[in-house]
Amino acid sequence: MANEGDDSGISPESSSSRYMVVRPERGGIRDLFRFLLTGNRASAAKFFESSDEDVVAEGSLGGGRRGTPDHCARYLIIRPENGGIRDLFRFLLFADRASASKFLQGSDDGVVSEALWGGRRGAMPDHRWVIFVSIIFRKIISLFAKPMEWIGYLFEFLLNLLSDNGSLLGLLYNLLRVRVIMPERGSETFISAIGHLDGRIDLYETRAASAGRTLQYELGDRDLMDLCMMASKLAYENEKVVENIVDHHWQMHFVDFYSCWNDYQKEKSTQVFIVCDKVEDANLVLISFRGTEPFDADDWSTDFDYSWFEMPKLGKVHMGFLEALGLGSRIDTSTFHNLLQEKEVDNKTGEKTPITEMVEMSAYFTVRSKLKSLLNEQKAAKFIVTGHSLGGALAILFVTVLVLHEERELMERLLGVYTYGQPRIGNRQLGRFMEAYLDHPLPKYFRLVYCNDLVPRLPYDNRTFLYKHFGACLYYNSLYSEQKVNEEPNRNYFGIWYLIPEHLNAVWELLRSFMMGYMYGVEYKEGWLAVLLRVVGLAVPGISAHSPINYVNSIRLGRDKTIRMSTL
């Protein structure tokens, strides 16, 4: 039987049920004590009749956790670096345990069995296919990690070289005059590739402000949606660019910019900034996490990582996103449990120790500490959390951990969470856990998805992984028409029935890019870089659809875009 809150039992996608029948009449006292004291399978087989072996393991031999105490968390780590292509195909085609052990590390045998068989011996290997694709993609990403970094470095330098000198013709003219302006990385004029893709920096609300109307943010209002999306896009820039735009273009107050530690990657790879709407008597505190950077292999590998960590109360959570928030490392899985429970424990001695430097530099604890300080100063302020892509996952996960840590005072000051093109962060149990806090008395969590965007359809949602979205989904098609749905169409992206429509839609989006300026005004005109991305979308529609330009356009041009909820 499936435990309460466990999604590994009967799923809507499965037509076969699981069961376990206890037969006390079949064995003797000796068998009963061998089963109790040693977990002997032969003895257990006399007392238990089940649909498959894993039901016996879950129901009678340790709840799916052989040799693992009931209070310990479960986890599955997928390690693409440990095996070769031959091992990978043996795992895919034959569910070979020796090959699987090179790629899969689980807290117990039951976890690995689920990955091999989906909890049902003889089941179709769709779950192994998902792991196979994930490992292949992450191997390729790992192989090209350094070239991607170098290309990105050079590409952004050239983009800024052209923009700083006015254009290609301006660059040539300055070369003749020996007055070429050289870009300075990290300066307030050095713009990221995302910033060059969509050069808009002003907020949509400035039109209303220029007309003399006093702005008042409302949850679900277009002005707030636009602010959050522009902040999510701005998070891709360096600190000086962020500060300059917040202070001088948005006329808001820049608080701080953080580069935070990821202990698994051993680098400061998580970026987040905080702003207030005013220096004093603020009404709004905004937290924006940076998303998946185009040339960052680690970010893309995290999006395609299917490793998870499970806690009985919380459910399954994406391990890579926990690491990005600085809430543990797969190198020592006990760190997840300790940090999620806020237990400052030395794993070797078992004694309490001060919070380590790693924790102090982590995104979660850094932002939480600053947020508490700000809300203590700004008594009337509420806070909102946002992000695009990976940043969206970190935004909702940040709030999730606040709930887990019982930060009631902070949660009372939460205005909402807006995410754009966000991947899934956990299973259905996690969604149920959070809905109780984010859906009542009014919805506070809005997840925006544009058309065929690939990233919101990751990680895979099937009967093995059961990654599930939760919260209100605002779905925009390529005509910028909005629908409120429970789940975006084609939830796993690779559905064969959507293949032709996806590519036809990519052709339409490419043609549309040449007409945007004429249809909607000069601020919607797409430059050569945006058009180039649309060309890439002809091959992989889900990549071009993920661009922030689509989300800004959806909010500003979309229909039915105001969902009145609560006022700041």
Side-chain angles (χ1 to χ4, degrees):
M1 292 182 183
N3 295 329
E4 183 178 353
D6 186 2
D7 292 318
S8 61
I10 300 172
S11 74
E13 298 173 347
S14 174
S15 60
S16 57
S17 300
R18 306 174 77 196
Y19 64 87
M20 182 176 74
V21 181
V22 182
R23 304 282 192 185
E25 70 278 5
R26 289 186 175 180
I29 296 298
R30 182 179 178 183
D31 296 309
L32 188 58
F33 275 96
R34 288 184 67 190
F35 156 69
L36 173 65
L37 299 175
T38 66
N40 183 271
R41 272 191 174 271
S43 299
K46 296 181 179 180
F47 296 107
F48 296 99
E49 177 185 330
S50 65
S51 55
D52 55 70
E53 293 179 12
D54 293 309
V55 169
V56 176
E58 292 170 14
S60 63
L61 296 175
R65 303 165 177 82
R66 293 180 206 169
T68 306
D70 289 341
H71 66 272
C72 292
R74 305 174 76 203
Y75 63 84
L76 174 69
I77 301 174
I78 300 176
R79 300 189 181 276
E81 69 277 6
N82 287 350
I85 296 298
R86 182 179 178 183
D87 297 309
L88 192 55
F89 276 96
R90 290 183 66 188
F91 160 74
L92 173 67
L93 299 176
F94 309 113
D96 182 72
R97 272 195 173 269
S99 299
S101 65
K102 296 181 180 180
F103 298 110
L104 307 179
Q105 175 187 337
S107 53
D108 53 74
D109 291 343
V111 169
V112 177
S113 292
E114 287 176 19
L116 281 170
W117 298 104
R120 296 161 179 81
R121 297 274 177 175
M124 292 297 290
D126 61 315
H127 45 281
R128 296 200 299 273
W129 172 253
V130 173
I131 297 176
F132 174 85
V133 172
S134 170
I135 292 174
I136 286 289
F137 188 87
R138 291 175 65 196
K139 277 181 174 291
I140 294 172
I141 285 290
S142 177
L143 182 64
F144 290 99
K146 277 299 178 184
M148 284 176 65
E149 181 183 344
W150 297 332
I151 291 170
Y153 190 93
L154 178 61
F155 187 61
E156 288 192 338
F157 175 82
L158 292 175
L159 288 174
N160 283 275
L161 182 65
L162 289 173
S163 63
D164 287 353
N165 288 277
S167 66
L168 180 58
L169 290 177
L171 176 60
L172 294 175
Y173 179 66
N174 285 345
L175 278 171
L176 293 174
R177 300 167 60 207
V178 197
R179 293 185 180 178
V180 175
I181 302 173
M182 298 299 292
E184 183 182 348
R185 189 173 292 273
S187 70
E188 65 179 31
T189 60
F190 194 93
I191 307 300
S192 70
I194 296 293
H196 282 282
L197 187 67
D198 183 0
R200 292 171 290 189
I201 58 175
D202 291 322
L203 301 177
Y204 191 85
E205 67 178 25
T206 55
R207 299 177 180 179
S210 64
R213 178 169 65 87
T214 301
L215 287 169
Q216 189 175 31
Y217 289 119
E218 294 183 0
L219 194 61
D221 184 79
R222 175 171 60 177
D223 287 337
L224 185 57
M225 293 167 69
D226 185 73
L227 170 63
C228 288
M229 181 57 228
M230 295 300 286
S232 298
K233 186 165 75 77
L234 186 59
Y236 290 99
E237 307 300 334
N238 67 63
E239 180 178 357
K240 290 185 178 179
V241 173
V242 173
E243 183 174 7
N244 178 55
I245 291 176
V246 168
D247 287 345
H248 298 106
H249 290 266
W250 297 0
Q251 300 296 308
M252 298 176 76
H253 172 54
F254 172 78
V255 176
D256 215 337
F257 183 100
Y258 304 98
S259 289
C260 301
W261 184 252
N262 183 321
D263 199 49
Y264 173 62
Q265 296 178 0
K266 300 299 181 185
E267 61 179 346
K268 292 183 177 181
S269 57
T270 300
Q271 283 71 37
V272 55
F273 72 87
I274 304 176
V275 303
C276 294
D277 63 337
K278 292 180 288 187
V279 178
E280 297 179 353
D281 300 321
N283 293 314
L284 179 68
V285 176
L286 184 145
I287 302 166
S288 179
F289 287 90
R290 180 180 293 180
T292 305
E293 297 187 71
F295 299 100
D296 191 315
D298 288 333
D299 281 357
W300 283 105
S301 184
T302 298
D303 286 340
F304 280 85
D305 187 3
Y306 287 78
S307 304
W308 51 261
F309 183 84
E310 181 182 29
M311 293 185 66
K313 180 179 179 181
L314 191 62
K316 292 179 181 177
V317 187
H318 190 289
M319 188 175 286
F321 299 154
L322 286 172
E323 289 168 333
L325 274 183
L327 290 169
S329 170
R330 68 190 68 192
I331 297 171
D332 179 3
T333 55
S334 65
T335 56
F336 293 113
H337 187 271
N338 292 339
L339 292 173
L340 287 172
Q341 296 292 340
E342 287 200 288
K343 293 180 179 178
E344 302 160 25
V345 176
D346 186 305
N347 295 314
K348 294 181 179 178
T349 66
E351 297 178 355
K352 287 195 172 184
T353 61
I355 295 178
T356 63
E357 184 179 355
M358 179 269 285
V359 172
E360 290 175 344
M361 294 190 298
S362 74
Y364 172 76
F365 290 102
T366 299
V367 173
R368 187 184 70 172
S369 175
K370 187 62 179 180
L371 179 61
K372 286 182 176 181
S373 174
L374 282 171
L375 294 180
N376 187 52
E377 295 171 6
Q378 310 288 353
K379 301 297 184 182
K382 291 186 177 182
F383 74 98
I384 194 163
V385 194
T386 190
H388 168 261
S389 190
L390 170 63
L394 301 186
I396 185 58
L397 186 56
F398 173 78
V399 174
T400 300
V401 182
L402 287 181
V403 172
L404 181 67
H405 286 171
E406 299 182 348
E407 296 284 355
R408 293 186 179 88
E409 291 184 8
L410 284 181
M411 290 302 297
E412 287 173 1
R413 308 274 295 271
L414 174 68
L415 176 64
V417 182
Y418 275 102
T419 68
Y420 306 85
Q422 170 219 312
R424 300 178 178 107
I425 68 164
N427 66 351
R428 186 182 285 114
Q429 182 183 344
L430 175 68
R432 288 196 294 262
F433 175 79
M434 286 305 296
E435 283 168 355
Y437 297 92
L438 295 179
D439 282 0
H440 306 287
L442 293 170
K444 293 183 178 181
Y445 171 37
F446 296 92
R447 186 174 57 83
L448 278 70
V449 176
Y450 172 76
C451 202
N452 294 318
D453 188 348
L454 168 64
V455 175
R457 289 145 170 114
L458 297 173
Y460 212 75
D461 172 7
N462 75 347
R463 66 189 179 197
T464 299
F465 294 100
L466 288 172
Y467 278 98
K468 299 286 184 184
H469 277 306
F470 59 94
C473 176
L474 305 181
Y475 173 78
Y476 294 87
N477 63 20
S478 60
L479 297 176
Y480 304 123
S481 179
E482 179 193 287
Q483 291 177 281
K484 186 175 180 180
V485 296
N486 292 325
E487 184 84 22
E488 57 272 14
N490 188 21
R491 73 176 190 274
N492 285 323
Y493 185 76
F494 297 103
I496 190 169
W497 298 111
Y498 292 90
L499 189 62
I500 294 177
E502 283 171 355
H503 286 80
L504 289 176
N505 192 73
V507 173
W508 150 244
E509 289 179 336
L510 175 60
L511 296 174
R512 186 191 62 189
S513 66
F514 295 105
M515 302 182 289
M516 288 294 291
Y518 299 102
M519 294 168 63
Y520 302 110
V522 65
E523 68 179 282
Y524 295 97
K525 182 180 179 181
E526 297 190 10
W528 68 268
L529 187 58
V531 173
L532 181 62
L533 184 60
R534 302 289 186 195
V535 173
V536 173
L538 296 177
V540 189
I543 298 297
S544 59
H546 189 57
S547 169
I549 196 171
N550 297 310
Y551 286 93
V552 176
N553 288 346
S554 294
I555 293 166
R556 297 184 177 187
L557 301 174
R559 305 166 188 171
D560 301 325
K561 45 189 170 289
T562 302
I563 307 169
R564 303 286 176 181
M565 293 297 174
S566 62
T567 304
L568 203 63

PDB file of all heavy atoms in Angstrom, residues 277-296:
ATOM      1  N   ASP A 277      10.154  49.862  -2.905  1.00  0.00           N
ATOM      2  CA  ASP A 277       9.550  50.888  -3.749  1.00  0.00           C
ATOM      3  C   ASP A 277       9.915  52.296  -3.293  1.00  0.00           C
ATOM      4  O   ASP A 277       9.898  53.245  -4.072  1.00  0.00           O
ATOM      5  CB  ASP A 277       8.030  50.708  -3.826  1.00  0.00           C
ATOM      6  CG  ASP A 277       7.339  50.865  -2.465  1.00  0.00           C
ATOM      7  OD1 ASP A 277       8.024  50.672  -1.436  1.00  0.00           O
ATOM      8  OD2 ASP A 277       6.139  51.167  -2.448  1.00  0.00           O
ATOM      9  N   LYS A 278      10.283  52.450  -1.998  1.00  0.00           N
ATOM     10  CA  LYS A 278      10.708  53.737  -1.472  1.00  0.00           C
ATOM     11  C   LYS A 278      11.803  53.524  -0.428  1.00  0.00           C
ATOM     12  O   LYS A 278      11.909  52.450   0.168  1.00  0.00           O
ATOM     13  CB  LYS A 278       9.521  54.473  -0.834  1.00  0.00           C
ATOM     14  CG  LYS A 278       8.450  54.918  -1.813  1.00  0.00           C
ATOM     15  CD  LYS A 278       7.310  55.651  -1.107  1.00  0.00           C
ATOM     16  CE  LYS A 278       6.464  54.702  -0.290  1.00  0.00           C
ATOM     17  NZ  LYS A 278       5.255  55.390   0.266  1.00  0.00           N
ATOM     18  N   VAL A 279      12.592  54.594  -0.189  1.00  0.00           N
ATOM     19  CA  VAL A 279      13.652  54.500   0.818  1.00  0.00           C
ATOM     20  C   VAL A 279      13.036  54.410   2.209  1.00  0.00           C
ATOM     21  O   VAL A 279      13.454  53.597   3.038  1.00  0.00           O
ATOM     22  CB  VAL A 279      14.596  55.725   0.730  1.00  0.00           C
ATOM     23  CG1 VAL A 279      15.659  55.640   1.824  1.00  0.00           C
ATOM     24  CG2 VAL A 279      15.246  55.803  -0.640  1.00  0.00           C
ATOM     25  N   GLU A 280      12.031  55.221   2.471  1.00  0.00           N
ATOM     26  CA  GLU A 280      11.352  55.222   3.765  1.00  0.00           C
ATOM     27  C   GLU A 280       9.862  54.977   3.561  1.00  0.00           C
ATOM     28  O   GLU A 280       9.304  55.282   2.506  1.00  0.00           O
ATOM     29  CB  GLU A 280      11.567  56.557   4.486  1.00  0.00           C
ATOM     30  CG  GLU A 280      13.029  56.837   4.824  1.00  0.00           C
ATOM     31  CD  GLU A 280      13.216  58.172   5.522  1.00  0.00           C
ATOM     32  OE1 GLU A 280      12.225  58.929   5.609  1.00  0.00           O
ATOM     33  OE2 GLU A 280      14.341  58.448   5.960  1.00  0.00           O
ATOM     34  N   ASP A 281       9.246  54.440   4.578  1.00  0.00           N
ATOM     35  CA  ASP A 281       7.809  54.132   4.529  1.00  0.00           C
ATOM     36  C   ASP A 281       7.450  53.305   3.300  1.00  0.00           C
ATOM     37  O   ASP A 281       6.454  53.560   2.609  1.00  0.00           O
ATOM     38  CB  ASP A 281       6.983  55.421   4.550  1.00  0.00           C
ATOM     39  CG  ASP A 281       7.235  56.254   5.795  1.00  0.00           C
ATOM     40  OD1 ASP A 281       7.383  55.658   6.878  1.00  0.00           O
ATOM     41  OD2 ASP A 281       7.304  57.497   5.670  1.00  0.00           O
ATOM     42  N   ALA A 282       8.251  52.311   3.016  1.00  0.00           N
ATOM     43  CA  ALA A 282       8.043  51.464   1.835  1.00  0.00           C
ATOM     44  C   ALA A 282       6.785  50.620   1.981  1.00  0.00           C
ATOM     45  O   ALA A 282       6.415  50.203   3.094  1.00  0.00           O
ATOM     46  CB  ALA A 282       9.252  50.565   1.616  1.00  0.00           C
ATOM     47  N   ASN A 283       6.133  50.384   0.869  1.00  0.00           N
ATOM     48  CA  ASN A 283       4.980  49.491   0.821  1.00  0.00           C
ATOM     49  C   ASN A 283       5.332  48.125   0.266  1.00  0.00           C
ATOM     50  O   ASN A 283       4.607  47.153   0.483  1.00  0.00           O
ATOM     51  CB  ASN A 283       3.869  50.099  -0.039  1.00  0.00           C
ATOM     52  CG  ASN A 283       3.277  51.346   0.582  1.00  0.00           C
ATOM     53  OD1 ASN A 283       2.985  51.362   1.774  1.00  0.00           O
ATOM     54  ND2 ASN A 283       3.121  52.396  -0.206  1.00  0.00           N
ATOM     55  N   LEU A 284       6.441  48.069  -0.488  1.00  0.00           N
ATOM     56  CA  LEU A 284       6.785  46.835  -1.207  1.00  0.00           C
ATOM     57  C   LEU A 284       8.273  46.543  -1.121  1.00  0.00           C
ATOM     58  O   LEU A 284       9.114  47.432  -1.352  1.00  0.00           O
ATOM     59  CB  LEU A 284       6.378  46.968  -2.683  1.00  0.00           C
ATOM     60  CG  LEU A 284       6.699  45.770  -3.576  1.00  0.00           C
ATOM     61  CD1 LEU A 284       5.831  44.572  -3.196  1.00  0.00           C
ATOM     62  CD2 LEU A 284       6.482  46.126  -5.045  1.00  0.00           C
ATOM     63  N   VAL A 285       8.599  45.308  -0.795  1.00  0.00           N
ATOM     64  CA  VAL A 285       9.965  44.780  -0.887  1.00  0.00           C
ATOM     65  C   VAL A 285       9.945  43.686  -1.940  1.00  0.00           C
ATOM     66  O   VAL A 285       9.119  42.767  -1.864  1.00  0.00           O
ATOM     67  CB  VAL A 285      10.456  44.210   0.457  1.00  0.00           C
ATOM     68  CG1 VAL A 285      11.830  43.573   0.303  1.00  0.00           C
ATOM     69  CG2 VAL A 285      10.489  45.292   1.526  1.00  0.00           C
ATOM     70  N   LEU A 286      10.808  43.782  -2.933  1.00  0.00           N
ATOM     71  CA  LEU A 286      10.832  42.815  -4.034  1.00  0.00           C
ATOM     72  C   LEU A 286      12.148  42.047  -4.031  1.00  0.00           C
ATOM     73  O   LEU A 286      13.226  42.652  -3.955  1.00  0.00           O
ATOM     74  CB  LEU A 286      10.631  43.524  -5.378  1.00  0.00           C
ATOM     75  CG  LEU A 286      10.543  42.629  -6.618  1.00  0.00           C
ATOM     76  CD1 LEU A 286       9.575  43.210  -7.638  1.00  0.00           C
ATOM     77  CD2 LEU A 286      11.916  42.452  -7.281  1.00  0.00           C
ATOM     78  N   ILE A 287      12.057  40.731  -4.124  1.00  0.00           N
ATOM     79  CA  ILE A 287      13.226  39.845  -4.190  1.00  0.00           C
ATOM     80  C   ILE A 287      13.214  39.154  -5.549  1.00  0.00           C
ATOM     81  O   ILE A 287      12.219  38.520  -5.922  1.00  0.00           O
ATOM     82  CB  ILE A 287      13.170  38.785  -3.070  1.00  0.00           C
ATOM     83  CG1 ILE A 287      13.112  39.449  -1.697  1.00  0.00           C
ATOM     84  CG2 ILE A 287      14.359  37.834  -3.164  1.00  0.00           C
ATOM     85  CD1 ILE A 287      12.727  38.500  -0.576  1.00  0.00           C
ATOM     86  N   SER A 288      14.298  39.279  -6.304  1.00  0.00           N
ATOM     87  CA  SER A 288      14.358  38.694  -7.649  1.00  0.00           C
ATOM     88  C   SER A 288      15.585  37.791  -7.791  1.00  0.00           C
ATOM     89  O   SER A 288      16.719  38.239  -7.598  1.00  0.00           O
ATOM     90  CB  SER A 288      14.411  39.798  -8.710  1.00  0.00           C
ATOM     91  OG  SER A 288      14.494  39.249 -10.012  1.00  0.00           O
ATOM     92  N   PHE A 289      15.343  36.522  -8.129  1.00  0.00           N
ATOM     93  CA  PHE A 289      16.415  35.550  -8.328  1.00  0.00           C
ATOM     94  C   PHE A 289      16.779  35.459  -9.809  1.00  0.00           C
ATOM     95  O   PHE A 289      15.904  35.491 -10.673  1.00  0.00           O
ATOM     96  CB  PHE A 289      15.975  34.166  -7.839  1.00  0.00           C
ATOM     97  CG  PHE A 289      15.911  34.016  -6.352  1.00  0.00           C
ATOM     98  CD1 PHE A 289      14.739  34.306  -5.649  1.00  0.00           C
ATOM     99  CD2 PHE A 289      17.013  33.590  -5.632  1.00  0.00           C
ATOM    100  CE1 PHE A 289      14.666  34.176  -4.277  1.00  0.00           C
ATOM    101  CE2 PHE A 289      16.957  33.446  -4.253  1.00  0.00           C
ATOM    102  CZ  PHE A 289      15.780  33.742  -3.576  1.00  0.00           C
ATOM    103  N   ARG A 290      18.069  35.336 -10.090  1.00  0.00           N
ATOM    104  CA  ARG A 290      18.529  35.171 -11.473  1.00  0.00           C
ATOM    105  C   ARG A 290      18.184  33.775 -11.971  1.00  0.00           C
ATOM    106  O   ARG A 290      18.261  32.790 -11.238  1.00  0.00           O
ATOM    107  CB  ARG A 290      20.045  35.388 -11.573  1.00  0.00           C
ATOM    108  CG  ARG A 290      20.590  35.239 -12.983  1.00  0.00           C
ATOM    109  CD  ARG A 290      22.096  35.462 -13.053  1.00  0.00           C
ATOM    110  NE  ARG A 290      22.439  36.851 -12.762  1.00  0.00           N
ATOM    111  CZ  ARG A 290      23.688  37.331 -12.754  1.00  0.00           C
ATOM    112  NH1 ARG A 290      24.708  36.502 -12.996  1.00  0.00           N
ATOM    113  NH2 ARG A 290      23.919  38.600 -12.490  1.00  0.00           N
ATOM    114  N   GLY A 291      17.832  33.700 -13.262  1.00  0.00           N
ATOM    115  CA  GLY A 291      17.454  32.428 -13.862  1.00  0.00           C
ATOM    116  C   GLY A 291      18.592  31.743 -14.598  1.00  0.00           C
ATOM    117  O   GLY A 291      19.778  32.012 -14.356  1.00  0.00           O
ATOM    118  N   THR A 292      18.226  30.845 -15.497  1.00  0.00           N
ATOM    119  CA  THR A 292      19.194  30.064 -16.274  1.00  0.00           C
ATOM    120  C   THR A 292      19.909  30.973 -17.266  1.00  0.00           C
ATOM    121  O   THR A 292      19.293  31.543 -18.161  1.00  0.00           O
ATOM    122  CB  THR A 292      18.481  28.939 -17.040  1.00  0.00           C
ATOM    123  OG1 THR A 292      17.737  28.145 -16.116  1.00  0.00           O
ATOM    124  CG2 THR A 292      19.478  28.068 -17.783  1.00  0.00           C
ATOM    125  N   GLU A 293      21.223  31.099 -17.113  1.00  0.00           N
ATOM    126  CA  GLU A 293      21.996  31.929 -18.033  1.00  0.00           C
ATOM    127  C   GLU A 293      22.273  31.131 -19.311  1.00  0.00           C
ATOM    128  O   GLU A 293      22.604  29.939 -19.258  1.00  0.00           O
ATOM    129  CB  GLU A 293      23.292  32.377 -17.378  1.00  0.00           C
ATOM    130  CG  GLU A 293      23.053  33.260 -16.152  1.00  0.00           C
ATOM    131  CD  GLU A 293      24.331  33.840 -15.586  1.00  0.00           C
ATOM    132  OE1 GLU A 293      24.909  34.729 -16.235  1.00  0.00           O
ATOM    133  OE2 GLU A 293      24.758  33.384 -14.516  1.00  0.00           O
ATOM    134  N   PRO A 294      22.177  31.780 -20.473  1.00  0.00           N
ATOM    135  CA  PRO A 294      22.257  31.057 -21.756  1.00  0.00           C
ATOM    136  C   PRO A 294      23.530  30.244 -21.948  1.00  0.00           C
ATOM    137  O   PRO A 294      23.491  29.181 -22.569  1.00  0.00           O
ATOM    138  CB  PRO A 294      22.172  32.194 -22.792  1.00  0.00           C
ATOM    139  CG  PRO A 294      21.534  33.328 -22.085  1.00  0.00           C
ATOM    140  CD  PRO A 294      21.927  33.214 -20.650  1.00  0.00           C
ATOM    141  N   PHE A 295      24.656  30.726 -21.410  1.00  0.00           N
ATOM    142  CA  PHE A 295      25.929  30.056 -21.656  1.00  0.00           C
ATOM    143  C   PHE A 295      26.501  29.403 -20.395  1.00  0.00           C
ATOM    144  O   PHE A 295      27.683  29.087 -20.341  1.00  0.00           O
ATOM    145  CB  PHE A 295      26.945  31.060 -22.223  1.00  0.00           C
ATOM    146  CG  PHE A 295      26.513  31.663 -23.529  1.00  0.00           C
ATOM    147  CD1 PHE A 295      25.946  32.926 -23.571  1.00  0.00           C
ATOM    148  CD2 PHE A 295      26.662  30.957 -24.717  1.00  0.00           C
ATOM    149  CE1 PHE A 295      25.537  33.482 -24.773  1.00  0.00           C
ATOM    150  CE2 PHE A 295      26.254  31.498 -25.919  1.00  0.00           C
ATOM    151  CZ  PHE A 295      25.687  32.765 -25.951  1.00  0.00           C
ATOM    152  N   ASP A 296      25.658  29.202 -19.393  1.00  0.00           N
ATOM    153  CA  ASP A 296      26.100  28.571 -18.146  1.00  0.00           C
ATOM    154  C   ASP A 296      25.681  27.105 -18.145  1.00  0.00           C
ATOM    155  O   ASP A 296      24.499  26.779 -17.986  1.00  0.00           O
ATOM    156  CB  ASP A 296      25.484  29.304 -16.949  1.00  0.00           C
ATOM    157  CG  ASP A 296      26.102  28.871 -15.630  1.00  0.00           C
ATOM    158  OD1 ASP A 296      26.285  27.650 -15.428  1.00  0.00           O
ATOM    159  OD2 ASP A 296      26.393  29.745 -14.790  1.00  0.00           O
TER     160      ASP A 296
END
